[in-house]
Amino acid sequence: HFYKIYNQSPLNILNYKDGKWVVQNSSGQVFEALIFNCLGKQVKTQKLNSGNVMLSTENLNSGHYIVQFKTSEGMRMQKITLH
């Protein structure tokens, strides 16, 4: 599979608000968020609908993670830190 990688895209924006990770999805598409730990192991998968959606990070330990967003149009990755 080949994916376009979007660095700055309206596809999805991940922000930290009030102690929660919120995904702003203005694309109107349902997409998938995959969370990987620092060793590259996938630790969580979540389907996200359009609008502002909370990214589920419960049951994950503190540390650094990579969130990969996938749609039919491409892929974007973003680093997050959980405290």
Side-chain angles (χ1 to χ4, degrees), residues 33-36 41-46 56-60:
L34 295 86
I35 302 177
F36 298 88
K41 181 181 177 187
Q42 184 177 329
V43 293
K44 195 162 209 120
T45 302
Q46 182 177 345
S56 175
T57 57
E58 68 264 1
N59 301 322
L60 295 178

Side-chain angles (χ1 to χ4, degrees), residues 3 5 12 18 30-31 36 40 44 46 51 57-58 60-62 64-65 67 74 76 78 80:
Y3 295 99
I5 297 179
N12 42 54
D18 301 321
V30 174
F31 62 92
F36 298 88
K44 195 162 209 120
Q46 182 177 345
T57 57
E58 68 264 1
L60 295 178
N61 295 324
S62 296
H64 301 287
Y65 294 87
V67 181
R76 179 179 181 197
Q78 186 167 339
I80 64 172

